[in-house]
Amino acid sequence: MRTIWDVVHEQARRDPEATAAVAERRYSYRQLVRHVAGLSEVIGRRADRGSLVALDMDSPLSGAVAILAAARAGCPVLPLNRQSPQEHRRRILADARPSLVVRATAECAFEVTEPEHAPGVDDALGDVAYVLYTSGSTGAPKGVMVSHAALLDRLSGLARTPGLSAGESMVAMTSLSFDISMAEMLLPLTVGARLLVAPADARLDPDVFVDFLDTHAPDVVQATPSFWRLVTTGTWNGAAGSRIWCGGEALTPALARQLAPVCKELWNLYGPTEATIWATAALIGVDDPITLGSPLPDTFACLDTEGQGDPDEGEILLYGAGLAKGYLRRSQLTSERFCHRRTPHGRTLVYRTGDRARRHADGSLVFLGRDDGQIKLHGHRIELGEIESALEEHPEVSQAVALLCDSERPDRASITAFVVAERTSEAEVKEWLRDRLPPSHTPTRVAVLAALPRTAAGKVDRMALAGQEIVS
Ligand code: AMP
């Protein structure tokens, strides 16, 4: 089995003195490979091949070294969300049951420990590169398993479209627990390019980010629309030499109009974790309509229009190379989302994205939104059901509903929760949630009610709740 380590190692052999990364200092490919080999020996001594290795670190360079080291030792990685509270991390660790936890104590310096839980043995992990947890609608986050084959296919597709070549640079700054960080950490190393590691506070402070862009003039810089919105509200003059990869949530025409004129190329990238980083890409010109564009090489997208009444509107189905293997130890959920469907290429395995789209005459897809409780808030994928489950675990709460408010105005969007409870307060419920959910999932407001409004059919009247929110 060919792994990400094999590809990067071959690249390092071809041009060992080329710059692989610029972080606190510069690293050549030769130096990078030496760090990888050192950590890999430690992992290999302490874990069997195919065992899951949790990564608990912020630095994308340390992340890249740890992923490659684990791959060299035959182990998949589980990047942990460093912003999550203890209880949330404990649940994920208890579900995934990794054999080792690797922490970065400094750039490219590591500490390897054994976790509290007994490791889980799983044959399904043999060909897996990484497992990433995403929000789960029933309360428990689910681990998406991505194979080396899917990862390599996606990275080689991204190298062609939107494109990255030897000698170029790409910014790495996204947290390891978002799958788009895999493109930042690994894509440059597969093509002989270099990863430019942004300072840790660049993720939070647009001024630091802008300074970093001005100093390094990267060829590619990738971030979510939410992040670009923060950057464009400041005194940014643009990045004329950079190609911007914008994705993870809907790109609005207003943001595209701001970004397209001040960069070399603006790309709208779309894709769920389950289809490995990105699945489609559209080059967006200054006055272009916003579409999701076309599938990346070796990937296909079609619409499930059955029962829709409109042959050009439906759920996006993704298929071809680049699909994840499914969810770790969740065979039922896997077979619900990864299933066989009729496609223009015959009946084949697809991933049902849950995203709705409309097909334009030129074949490109226009994103319409979702029908379920999955939302994107400031770039984070969140199942409202996960928040509701956490709220309903509170001993005083008998029922909870979480809603995304102001979704039309992404800069002001926030979550409001409505709970039925007698002896508790907004402050107390929020405090209780703080220990159980990552900050990205925490509602801005919690309304404590005696009862929830109902529709004539007896269901919770979400429209009425949303209306209450607007009035208050
Ligand atoms: P994640 O698994 O965190 O990458 O989230 C995937 C979901 O984010 C998709 O299923 C879409 O709902 C949404 N998404 C990602 N990229 C885009 C985009 N360019 N436009 C609209 N929605 C997007």
Side-chain angles (χ1 to χ4, degrees):
M1 179 186 61
R2 197 166 149 77
T3 70
I4 183 66
W5 156 250
D6 298 317
V7 176
V8 175
H9 193 207
E10 282 159 20
Q11 188 57 50
R13 282 215 192 101
R14 270 196 289 275
D15 194 356
E17 300 314 326
T19 302
V22 179
E24 285 169 18
R25 62 182 190 83
R26 172 193 170 275
Y27 296 78
S28 66
Y29 273 81
R30 185 198 302 281
Q31 289 165 326
L32 184 96
V33 161
R34 203 176 304 136
H35 283 292
V36 171
L39 177 60
S40 181
E41 296 301 321
V42 179
I43 293 175
R45 273 200 299 276
R46 297 181 57 177
D48 293 334
R49 295 182 77 78
S51 330
L52 197 52
V53 172
L55 305 185
D56 192 8
M57 58 191 71
D58 280 322
S59 151
L61 177 59
S62 301
V65 168
I67 294 165
L68 294 170
R72 185 175 177 274
C75 297
V77 295
L78 164 71
L80 297 172
N81 182 347
R82 303 208 83 212
Q83 311 305 320
S84 288
Q86 269 322 98
E87 176 58 21
H88 197 257
R89 281 159 63 96
R90 201 196 53 73
R91 280 190 190 193
I92 286 179
L93 287 170
D95 188 64
R97 289 183 276 137
S99 299
L100 295 175
V101 180
V102 178
R103 286 189 188 83
T105 50
E107 189 167 277
C108 293
F110 301 95
E111 172 193 270
V112 180
T113 57
E114 260 114 57
E116 277 171 27
H117 297 273
V121 182
D122 214 309
D123 290 345
L125 288 171
D127 60 350
V128 168
Y130 61 86
V131 176
L132 266 184
Y133 274 74
T134 69
S135 189
S137 58
T138 55
K142 49 196 190 283
V144 180
M145 297 183 286
V146 173
S147 69
H148 280 282
L151 175 62
L152 293 184
D153 204 278
R154 178 61 73 236
L155 294 177
S156 78
L158 285 170
R160 282 180 277 159
T161 313
L164 187 73
S165 309
E168 290 194 319
S169 60
M170 179 164 178
V171 176
M173 66 168 183
T174 303
S175 305
L176 267 67
S177 55
F178 285 91
D179 77 333
I180 68 170
S181 68
M182 294 291 166
E184 298 170 10
M185 290 185 287
L186 302 174
L187 175 59
L189 301 177
T190 62
V191 297
R194 60 191 184 283
L195 56 120
L196 284 177
V197 178
D201 44 353
R203 276 182 215 157
L204 304 170
D205 185 342
D207 291 340
V208 176
F209 175 74
V210 167
D211 273 353
F212 175 78
L213 287 194
D214 291 346
T215 309
H216 292 274
D219 293 293
V220 172
V221 52
Q222 164 184 270
T224 59
S226 295
F227 186 78
W228 286 116
R229 213 165 273 123
L230 275 182
V231 174
T232 52
T233 50
T235 52
W236 183 50
N237 297 320
S242 301
R243 309 194 293 274
I244 288 183
W245 296 11
C246 181
E249 57 194 344
L251 171 63
T252 56
L255 182 61
R257 276 196 298 274
Q258 284 184 290
L259 289 177
V262 298
C263 65
K264 197 165 173 188
E265 288 176 2
L266 170 64
W267 288 85
N268 181 24
L269 288 160
Y270 157 84
T273 306
E274 289 85 341
T276 311
I277 312 174
W278 301 120
T280 71
L283 181 60
I284 306 285
V286 177
D287 295 316
D288 286 351
I290 308 297
T291 80
L292 303 181
S294 332
L296 293 173
D298 300 333
T299 289
F300 303 92
C302 68
L303 295 180
D304 185 353
T305 56
E306 232 159 78
Q308 295 295 316
D310 181 341
D312 290 318
E313 208 174 296
E315 180 181 9
I316 302 175
L317 305 178
L318 296 172
Y319 60 102
L323 286 200
K325 283 186 72 171
Y327 303 105
L328 180 63
R329 301 189 196 106
R330 299 261 207 289
S331 52
Q332 193 182 336
L333 185 59
T334 299
S335 51
E336 281 167 19
R337 305 308 301 234
F338 295 82
C339 53
H340 282 79
R341 284 283 191 278
R342 245 199 349 249
T343 72
H345 295 80
R347 209 174 150 72
T348 188
L349 182 70
V350 304
Y351 171 65
R352 292 174 44 219
T353 61
D355 292 319
R356 297 186 58 74
R358 185 164 186 80
R359 191 179 14 237
H360 271 192
D362 66 359
S364 61
L365 298 176
V366 176
F367 181 75
L368 298 177
R370 296 186 66 89
D371 288 336
D372 58 10
Q374 182 183 305
I375 60 159
K376 273 288 169 112
L377 181 62
H378 307 316
H380 298 272
R381 170 169 161 178
I382 301 168
E383 289 282 357
L384 293 170
E386 184 175 351
I387 301 172
E388 291 164 359
S389 299
L391 285 164
E392 286 174 6
E393 281 171 24
H394 185 292
E396 295 296 330
V397 172
S398 58
Q399 201 180 359
V401 171
L403 292 182
L404 178 65
C405 301
D406 273 335
S407 59
E408 300 305 314
R409 289 176 292 177
D411 51 327
R412 299 186 53 180
S414 64
I415 298 170
T416 296
F418 300 87
V419 298
V420 179
E422 280 179 4
R423 288 178 298 272
T424 189
S425 65
E426 170 169 15
E428 199 271 329
V429 174
K430 278 181 160 176
E431 183 58 35
W432 194 86
L433 272 188
R434 210 160 289 140
D435 295 336
R436 285 164 179 80
L437 291 176
S440 52
H441 290 44
T442 311
T444 311
R445 279 145 296 182
V446 176
V448 181
L449 307 174
L452 294 175
R454 305 264 162 200
T455 63
K459 293 187 183 175
V460 172
D461 191 342
R462 287 171 183 263
M463 298 281 275
L465 285 173
Q468 267 190 26
E469 172 50 29
I470 289 158
V471 171
S472 66

